[in-house]
Amino acid sequence: MRHAIQTPVGDPAFETRVSRAVAQLKEAFAVHVEETEGPGGLYAEMLDDAPRLAPYLSTLVGDHRSVWSALDELEGRLSGRHPAEAVRRDADRLIREVWQHRQRGADLLHEAYETDLGGET
């Protein structure tokens, strides 16, 4: 996505490249959500192993809803009726949101499996 939004705004391929990047990100994010939230997914496993982290897992699930919303909104803006600079800003904001979600997830995995509090099962 970052590469797509670096395309010059006046380039006729800008919208096509960003549309393709959004579609790819949606596909990858759908897999991520299924692997984490789905039956037997990572979040269920983490709840079994570290129930104290339940509120943080709820935050990650909320992130998923927020990212989906941002993806849908960005996809809707790719109709040519919105200024390319606005699309670029929205895409950049989405990239940051996904990166922050990824970091929160990594931090939580570390907390769940690398921090030994003892007695938790």
Side-chain angles (χ1 to χ4, degrees):
M1 168 96 59
R2 176 117 11 231
H3 181 70
I5 66 172
Q6 290 174 348
T7 303
V9 230
D11 187 326
F14 176 80
E15 190 174 311
T16 302
R17 288 180 181 163
V18 175
S19 292
R20 190 174 314 125
V22 168
Q24 290 170 342
L25 182 54
K26 282 183 103 169
E27 187 176 312
F29 201 68
V31 170
H32 165 73
V33 170
E34 179 62 29
E35 289 175 351
T36 55
E37 288 187 40
L42 178 62
Y43 295 172
E45 181 182 319
M46 286 176 71
L47 272 177
D48 287 344
D49 294 341
R52 73 185 186 285
L53 301 177
Y56 304 104
L57 290 169
S58 292
T59 298
L60 292 176
V61 170
D63 286 353
H64 290 168
R65 287 190 299 270
S66 177
V67 168
W68 273 123
S69 177
L71 278 163
D72 288 341
E73 187 175 314
L74 181 58
E75 190 174 53
R77 289 180 177 266
L78 291 167
S79 62
R81 292 186 306 249
H82 293 79
E85 273 304 321
V87 170
R88 179 180 283 159
R89 277 191 307 274
D90 290 347
D92 193 49
R93 197 172 312 124
L94 172 63
I95 291 166
R96 281 193 310 276
E97 188 173 350
V98 169
W99 183 88
Q100 290 167 344
H101 170 71
R102 184 199 153 285
Q103 190 60 53
R104 278 191 289 274
D107 291 346
L108 194 58
L109 277 170
H110 177 78
E111 179 68 24
Y113 297 111
E114 296 297 325
T115 303
D116 184 9
L117 296 179
E120 186 171 55
T121 54

